[in-house]
Amino acid sequence: MPLSLTKNSLEGQLEQMQSAFETIRHKAQDYEQHEKGTIAKLYATLTDLYSFGETIRAAMDEDGNPLTQQFIIHRGGKWNRPAQANPYIALLGLTFSGLSAPLKSQYAQVLHHAHRTNVPVKDFGRWLIAGNGIKGRLEEATELTGGTARQINAKARLSRLAHAKSLLSGGPRSTPVSLPVATTHKGFATVLVEIDGNNNASILRVLDTEDSRIDPLLLKLEPGTATALDMSAQRPLGRLHRAINLILSLIDIRGLSDVHIRIVNRMERGRSICCVQAVATTYSYMWAGFVLEGHLPMLPVNHILALDMSGAQDFQSSFAQFEDWDILAGTAGYALVAASPLTKTIALSSLPSDKGFRVGAPIAIGEDAFTLDQARTGDVLAFIDQWRADTKRQNAQRKILRQSPRRLAMRLSHGGLQLVRDDAPNIMTDFLSTKRRNGFAEPRWLAVADVERVCRTFGTHECDATGWFMDSDVADAALQFTAVFMAADGTQDVLTLLLPTVISNGMHYAQCCADI
């Protein structure tokens, strides 16, 4: 029988999951013990596992963690990055004991493909057979994942080339000179020149005019990741995806309770905007929110909708694999829907009314401003990595072990804010530029994990930020960052990030959030 979670407690639900899963394992063992059995036994086992997996993927515990995670860990499985992206990787390992790793990987891909394309549980068996079995559905999954990715990569490459050529064409250049050998070529080329040391150069030979040789040189002038992200934001609902992707990259999802993404169209001083924000029941946390210019389609003004963490992560990960995203309204409510290559639906819902949600409380303007240069983020990450390496090396030489780095002290120095190792006050790195002169009234630290997420995210998006120190019930409660993402048509989306300071040895955050 299909799994039905009727008990309220986590222990009771785990007990129900254990019972249902043992039935699936017995089927898997029967298949393996009879010389891998018949294909019908395999399909029946996979059908039951798909039903089981989809049921527990849709359920959350009291802290907002997926029951999938709880069950896999309870069974001794690994809840690592691959399993988080595709839980069937872990579930297949727990189900079959005699299958090879490549086979389990293939089956996991097929089950995840069914999940991404919203195959109903009751139709899974027929869907599998109609698609030429495991082999056919595996090829389909591979093509779906790779095809759209290749299209996006190709578009991103063309965008990078166009931007690099634009930079060169609009930049400084010498006066035209005659080539040593006449040519009809028009465009970019690589040439060998001789420079005389007095700011003069002579062209000796044209080396290449082929695009295949020139393009790799042009691409070096235009960083790739940020351009691909900008290209993605130009797709339908791409700006919403960028906002959600950045929010999930910045906040500590695992450390929050009942985290959701709140979405609401508003009118602000006659201007149409859409607010996309993290909300959680946690008292104070690293918070991020976006103000998108213009309204999202179909959503009424001031009508609050939300994505739970399962839906938000689904949209974050599946956006690139599907096209023609839109928001549709139906009898069941609003949903994010993709039309091709297959239909994909992610439901929008209301925030649970029985929860007390809190949201970041940024200030309009502060006195002590600062600037984050994304070019520094790599140095900060390297600084933290070196600290971890030092700690690991020192622990190997000690009888008493020191814990992994958790917090960084803040120090003002010569127009900048430095981050200082908690174990070595003489070792520091530059983080922010600021004209602030007054020191901190009380010791203030930043959590290492928070700083890493800030640096990785802003570095990946090649985005600078400005901001100021924010006071709440205590001085210097948080660092408030603002970053602007501008589209080619002049549309501006604004990210606000609150990075709370740590105010105790117990890693407690200063308060930077408020009740909704």
Side-chain angles (χ1 to χ4, degrees):
M1 292 181 61
L3 171 63
S4 178
L5 297 173
T6 57
K7 297 185 179 180
N8 294 325
S9 68
L10 176 59
E11 292 76 12
Q13 291 174 336
L14 284 172
E15 183 180 333
Q16 289 180 308
M17 287 187 282
Q18 290 274 40
S19 176
F21 189 69
E22 282 304 314
T23 302
I24 299 172
R25 283 194 69 248
H26 289 321
K27 283 190 175 182
Q29 289 172 355
D30 182 54
Y31 166 74
E32 291 179 316
Q33 289 170 359
H34 292 82
E35 296 182 355
K36 298 301 183 285
T38 65
I39 198 68
K41 286 185 177 181
L42 174 61
Y43 285 7
T45 305
L46 293 179
T47 298
D48 288 351
L49 184 60
Y50 181 67
S51 175
F52 177 85
E54 294 305 286
T55 299
I56 65 174
R57 289 181 82 162
M60 298 283 178
D61 65 15
E62 295 178 350
D63 296 325
N65 298 314
L67 286 184
T68 321
Q69 174 184 353
Q70 301 284 8
F71 177 76
I72 289 172
I73 294 175
H74 184 73
R75 295 284 302 199
K78 294 181 179 179
W79 188 247
N80 49 22
R81 282 180 177 263
Q84 291 172 33
N86 178 7
Y88 287 111
I89 293 174
L91 291 175
L92 259 297
L94 297 172
T95 304
F96 293 94
S97 58
L99 289 184
S100 65
L103 277 179
K104 284 188 281 191
S105 175
Q106 291 176 14
Y107 298 165
Q109 289 182 61
V110 171
L111 290 167
H112 189 54
H113 174 47
H115 167 79
R116 288 191 305 167
T117 52
N118 295 323
V119 175
V121 168
K122 62 182 178 62
D123 296 335
F124 177 81
R126 292 192 297 272
W127 172 83
L128 197 57
I129 295 171
N132 196 25
I134 296 290
K135 180 181 178 182
R137 291 304 184 186
L138 181 62
E139 291 175 352
E140 185 180 277
T142 303
E143 180 60 29
L144 176 62
T145 302
T148 305
R150 285 192 295 271
Q151 292 176 16
I152 293 175
N153 289 339
K155 291 178 181 177
R157 188 175 189 274
L158 290 175
S159 175
R160 291 173 62 196
L161 286 171
H163 192 255
K165 291 176 180 179
S166 175
L167 288 175
L168 288 174
S169 298
R173 62 173 64 204
S174 67
T175 56
V177 297
S178 298
L179 295 172
V181 178
T183 177
T184 59
H185 174 72
K186 183 178 181 180
F188 291 92
T190 56
V191 297
L192 184 65
V193 301
E194 182 181 40
I195 302 174
D196 64 4
N198 293 316
N199 205 34
N200 298 310
S202 301
I203 298 176
L204 304 180
R205 181 174 298 178
V206 176
L207 299 178
D208 270 307
T209 59
E210 295 293 330
D211 288 344
S212 60
R213 301 289 185 90
I214 306 301
D215 287 355
L217 300 176
L218 294 174
L219 290 172
K220 291 182 179 180
L221 302 176
E222 176 62 16
T225 303
T227 305
L229 293 169
D230 287 342
M231 282 290 297
S232 178
Q234 296 174 26
R235 299 171 58 203
L237 294 192
R239 291 163 55 217
L240 174 64
H241 174 261
R242 176 172 61 188
I244 292 175
N245 182 50
L246 274 159
I247 290 171
L248 296 184
S249 299
L250 287 166
I251 66 175
D252 179 16
I253 300 170
R254 293 173 297 179
L256 300 180
S257 299
D258 298 305
V259 60
H260 288 66
I261 301 296
R262 183 175 68 163
I263 303 170
V264 55
N265 283 336
R266 296 198 186 282
M267 295 299 299
E268 185 180 83
R269 299 176 182 176
R271 187 168 65 103
S272 301
I273 62 171
C274 179
C275 298
V276 184
Q277 304 169 322
V279 298
T281 56
T282 306
Y283 182 72
S284 186
Y285 57 95
M286 182 172 170
W287 174 87
F290 254 91
V291 174
L292 308 182
E293 186 173 340
H295 285 160
L296 286 181
M298 294 299 297
L299 300 186
V301 176
N302 295 329
H303 183 72
I304 298 175
L305 291 170
L307 284 168
D308 61 18
M309 196 42 49
S310 176
Q313 290 177 319
D314 191 6
F315 184 54
Q316 179 189 31
S317 62
S318 63
F319 182 79
Q321 279 80 48
F322 295 86
E323 298 285 349
D324 303 323
W325 285 92
D326 201 353
I327 298 177
L328 299 181
T331 55
Y334 294 91
L336 306 174
V337 179
S340 65
L342 298 168
T343 301
K344 172 74 174 179
T345 302
I346 301 173
L348 293 164
S349 61
S350 300
L351 286 173
S353 58
D354 60 338
K355 304 285 187 180
F357 286 99
R358 291 174 64 81
V359 67
I363 58 177
I365 192 168
E367 295 181 0
D368 297 316
F370 59 72
T371 301
L372 171 64
D373 183 350
Q374 58 89 16
R376 286 183 176 174
T377 57
D379 293 337
V380 176
L381 291 172
F383 173 80
I384 295 172
D385 286 342
Q386 184 60 53
W387 184 6
R388 286 201 178 98
D390 290 346
T391 303
K392 184 177 181 180
R393 186 184 66 255
Q394 292 165 3
N395 282 344
Q397 302 169 355
R398 292 192 185 107
K399 292 183 179 179
I400 301 177
L401 300 183
R402 185 186 297 273
Q403 65 182 359
S404 183
R406 299 175 65 197
R407 65 182 190 179
L408 291 153
M410 296 193 296
R411 176 188 297 170
L412 295 172
S413 176
H414 306 295
L417 177 72
Q418 294 180 328
L419 299 178
V420 185
R421 280 175 49 164
D422 205 28
D423 67 332
N426 61 322
I427 303 178
M428 71 287 294
T429 187
D430 293 331
F431 182 39
L432 305 173
S433 300
T434 179
K435 294 182 179 179
R436 173 171 174 161
R437 298 181 181 276
N438 298 325
F440 303 106
E442 298 179 12
R444 291 287 182 267
W445 299 270
L446 296 176
V448 168
D450 293 347
V451 172
E452 285 184 302
R453 288 196 303 276
V454 170
C455 290
R456 287 199 184 99
T457 303
F458 281 92
T460 298
H461 286 262
E462 297 174 5
C463 177
D464 298 333
T466 58
W468 41 75
F469 295 88
M470 169 186 151
D471 298 338
S472 61
D473 55 343
V474 297
D476 301 311
L479 276 62
Q480 178 174 322
F481 295 82
T482 300
V484 178
F485 294 81
M486 183 174 292
D489 62 359
T491 302
Q492 293 187 12
D493 298 334
V494 180
L495 165 70
T496 300
L497 168 69
L498 298 184
L499 175 58
T501 58
V502 174
I503 57 175
S504 73
N505 292 332
M507 297 298 292
H508 296 108
Y509 282 142
Q511 191 277 119
C512 67
C513 298
D515 293 333
I516 292 179

